[in-house]
CSV table of all heavy atoms in Angstrom, one decimal:
chain,number,residue,atom,x,y,z
A,67,THR,N,7.2,-3.4,-21.2
A,67,THR,CA,5.9,-3.4,-20.7
A,67,THR,C,5.0,-2.4,-21.5
A,67,THR,O,5.6,-1.4,-22.0
A,67,THR,CB,5.8,-3.0,-19.2
A,67,THR,OG1,4.5,-3.2,-18.7
A,67,THR,CG2,6.3,-1.6,-18.9
A,68,PRO,N,3.8,-2.7,-21.7
A,68,PRO,CA,2.9,-1.8,-22.4
A,68,PRO,C,2.8,-0.5,-21.6
A,68,PRO,O,2.8,-0.5,-20.4
A,68,PRO,CB,1.5,-2.4,-22.5
A,68,PRO,CG,1.8,-3.9,-22.2
A,68,PRO,CD,3.1,-3.9,-21.4
A,69,THR,N,2.7,0.7,-22.3
A,69,THR,CA,2.6,1.9,-21.5
A,69,THR,C,1.4,2.0,-20.7
A,69,THR,O,1.3,2.7,-19.7
A,69,THR,CB,2.6,3.1,-22.5
A,69,THR,OG1,1.6,3.0,-23.5
A,69,THR,CG2,4.0,3.3,-23.2
A,70,ALA,N,0.3,1.2,-21.1
A,70,ALA,CA,-0.9,1.2,-20.3
A,70,ALA,C,-0.8,0.3,-19.1
A,70,ALA,O,-1.6,0.4,-18.2
A,70,ALA,CB,-2.1,0.7,-21.2
A,71,ALA,N,0.3,-0.5,-19.0
A,71,ALA,CA,0.4,-1.5,-17.9
A,71,ALA,C,1.4,-1.0,-16.8
A,71,ALA,O,1.2,-1.2,-15.6
A,71,ALA,CB,0.7,-2.8,-18.4
A,72,ASP,N,2.6,-0.6,-17.3
A,72,ASP,CA,3.7,-0.3,-16.4
A,72,ASP,C,4.1,-1.6,-15.7
A,72,ASP,O,3.6,-2.7,-15.9
A,72,ASP,CB,3.5,0.8,-15.4
A,72,ASP,CG,3.4,2.2,-16.1
A,72,ASP,OD1,3.9,2.3,-17.2
A,72,ASP,OD2,2.8,3.1,-15.5
A,73,ILE,N,5.1,-1.5,-14.8
A,73,ILE,CA,5.6,-2.7,-14.1
A,73,ILE,C,5.6,-2.3,-12.6
A,73,ILE,O,6.0,-1.2,-12.3
A,73,ILE,CB,7.0,-3.2,-14.5
A,73,ILE,CG1,7.3,-4.6,-13.9
A,73,ILE,CG2,8.1,-2.2,-14.3
A,73,ILE,CD1,8.5,-5.3,-14.5
A,74,ASN,N,5.2,-3.2,-11.8
A,74,ASN,CA,5.1,-3.0,-10.3
A,74,ASN,C,6.2,-3.9,-9.7
A,74,ASN,O,6.1,-5.1,-9.9
A,74,ASN,CB,3.7,-3.2,-9.8
A,74,ASN,CG,3.5,-2.5,-8.5
A,74,ASN,OD1,4.0,-1.5,-8.2
A,74,ASN,ND2,2.6,-3.1,-7.6
A,75,ILE,N,7.1,-3.3,-9.0
A,75,ILE,CA,8.2,-4.1,-8.4
A,75,ILE,C,8.0,-4.1,-6.9
A,75,ILE,O,7.7,-3.1,-6.3
A,75,ILE,CB,9.6,-3.4,-8.7
A,75,ILE,CG1,9.8,-3.4,-10.2
A,75,ILE,CG2,10.7,-4.1,-7.9
A,75,ILE,CD1,10.1,-4.7,-10.8
A,76,ASP,N,8.2,-5.2,-6.3
A,76,ASP,CA,8.0,-5.5,-4.8
A,76,ASP,C,9.0,-6.5,-4.4
A,76,ASP,O,9.7,-7.2,-5.2
A,76,ASP,CB,6.6,-6.0,-4.6
A,76,ASP,CG,6.1,-5.9,-3.2
A,76,ASP,OD1,6.9,-5.5,-2.3
A,76,ASP,OD2,5.0,-6.3,-3.0
A,77,PHE,N,9.2,-6.7,-3.1
A,77,PHE,CA,10.1,-7.7,-2.6
A,77,PHE,C,9.4,-8.4,-1.5
A,77,PHE,O,8.7,-7.8,-0.7
A,77,PHE,CB,11.4,-7.1,-2.1
A,77,PHE,CG,12.3,-6.6,-3.2
A,77,PHE,CD1,12.2,-5.2,-3.5
A,77,PHE,CD2,13.2,-7.4,-3.9
A,77,PHE,CE1,12.9,-4.7,-4.6
A,77,PHE,CE2,14.0,-6.8,-4.9
A,77,PHE,CZ,13.8,-5.5,-5.2
A,78,SER,N,9.6,-9.7,-1.4
A,78,SER,CA,9.2,-10.5,-0.3
A,78,SER,C,10.4,-10.8,0.6
A,78,SER,O,11.5,-11.1,0.1
A,78,SER,CB,8.6,-11.9,-0.7
A,78,SER,OG,7.3,-11.6,-1.4
A,79,ALA,N,10.2,-10.8,1.9
A,79,ALA,CA,11.3,-11.0,2.9
A,79,ALA,C,10.7,-11.8,4.0
A,79,ALA,O,9.5,-11.7,4.3
A,79,ALA,CB,11.9,-9.7,3.3
A,80,PRO,N,11.5,-12.5,4.8
A,80,PRO,CA,11.0,-13.2,6.0
A,80,PRO,C,10.3,-12.2,7.0
A,80,PRO,O,10.7,-11.1,7.0
A,80,PRO,CB,12.2,-13.9,6.6
A,80,PRO,CG,13.2,-13.9,5.5
A,80,PRO,CD,12.9,-12.8,4.6
A,81,SER,N,9.4,-12.7,7.8
A,81,SER,CA,8.8,-11.9,8.8
A,81,SER,C,9.8,-11.3,9.7
A,81,SER,O,10.8,-11.9,10.1
A,81,SER,CB,7.8,-12.9,9.6
A,81,SER,OG,7.3,-12.1,10.7
A,82,GLY,N,9.6,-10.0,10.0
A,82,GLY,CA,10.5,-9.3,10.9
A,82,GLY,C,11.7,-8.7,10.2
A,82,GLY,O,12.5,-8.0,10.8
A,83,ALA,N,11.9,-8.9,8.9
A,83,ALA,CA,13.0,-8.3,8.1
A,83,ALA,C,12.8,-6.8,8.0
A,83,ALA,O,11.6,-6.3,7.8
A,83,ALA,CB,13.2,-9.0,6.8
A,84,LEU,N,13.9,-6.0,8.0
A,84,LEU,CA,13.8,-4.6,7.8
A,84,LEU,C,14.8,-4.2,6.7
A,84,LEU,O,15.7,-5.0,6.3
A,84,LEU,CB,14.2,-3.9,9.1
A,84,LEU,CG,13.2,-4.1,10.3
A,84,LEU,CD1,13.8,-3.5,11.5
A,84,LEU,CD2,11.8,-3.6,10.0
A,85,GLY,N,14.8,-3.0,6.2
A,85,GLY,CA,15.7,-2.5,5.3
A,85,GLY,C,15.1,-1.5,4.3
A,85,GLY,O,13.9,-1.1,4.5
A,86,GLU,N,15.8,-1.1,3.3
A,86,GLU,CA,15.4,-0.1,2.3
A,86,GLU,C,15.9,-0.6,1.0
A,86,GLU,O,16.9,-1.3,0.8
A,86,GLU,CB,16.0,1.2,2.7
A,86,GLU,CG,15.6,1.8,4.0
A,86,GLU,CD,14.3,2.4,4.0
A,86,GLU,OE1,13.8,2.9,2.9
A,86,GLU,OE2,13.6,2.4,5.0
A,87,TRP,N,15.2,-0.1,-0.1
A,87,TRP,CA,15.7,-0.3,-1.4
A,87,TRP,C,15.3,0.9,-2.3
A,87,TRP,O,14.4,1.7,-1.9
A,87,TRP,CB,15.1,-1.6,-2.0
A,87,TRP,CG,13.6,-1.6,-2.4
A,87,TRP,CD1,12.6,-1.8,-1.5
A,87,TRP,CD2,13.0,-1.3,-3.7
A,87,TRP,NE1,11.4,-1.7,-2.2
A,87,TRP,CE2,11.6,-1.4,-3.5
A,87,TRP,CE3,13.5,-1.0,-4.9
A,87,TRP,CZ2,10.8,-1.3,-4.6
A,87,TRP,CZ3,12.7,-0.9,-6.0
A,87,TRP,CH2,11.3,-1.0,-5.8
A,88,THR,N,16.0,1.0,-3.4
A,88,THR,CA,15.7,2.1,-4.3
A,88,THR,C,16.0,1.6,-5.7
A,88,THR,O,16.7,0.6,-5.9
A,88,THR,CB,16.6,3.4,-4.1
A,88,THR,OG1,16.1,4.4,-4.9
A,88,THR,CG2,18.0,3.1,-4.3
A,89,ALA,N,15.4,2.2,-6.7
A,89,ALA,CA,15.7,1.9,-8.1
A,89,ALA,C,15.8,3.1,-8.9
A,89,ALA,O,15.1,4.1,-8.6
A,89,ALA,CB,14.6,1.0,-8.7
A,90,ILE,N,16.6,3.1,-9.9
A,90,ILE,CA,16.7,4.2,-10.9
A,90,ILE,C,16.0,3.7,-12.1
A,90,ILE,O,16.5,2.7,-12.7
A,90,ILE,CB,18.2,4.6,-11.2
A,90,ILE,CG1,18.8,5.1,-9.9
A,90,ILE,CG2,18.2,5.7,-12.2
A,90,ILE,CD1,20.3,5.4,-10.0
A,91,GLY,N,14.9,4.2,-12.4
A,91,GLY,CA,14.1,3.7,-13.6
A,91,GLY,C,13.2,4.8,-14.1
A,91,GLY,O,12.9,5.8,-13.5
A,92,ALA,N,12.6,4.5,-15.2
A,92,ALA,CA,11.6,5.4,-15.9
A,92,ALA,C,10.4,5.6,-15.0
A,92,ALA,O,9.9,4.6,-14.4
A,92,ALA,CB,11.2,4.9,-17.2
A,93,GLY,N,10.0,6.8,-14.8
A,93,GLY,CA,8.8,7.1,-14.0
A,93,GLY,C,7.6,6.4,-14.7
A,93,GLY,O,7.6,6.0,-15.9
Side-chain angles (χ1 to χ4, degrees):
T67 188
T69 54
D72 289 340
I73 190 169
N74 203 28
I75 301 291
D76 196 357
F77 293 90
S78 289
S81 176
L84 300 171
E86 298 283 328
W87 72 277
T88 190
I90 299 171

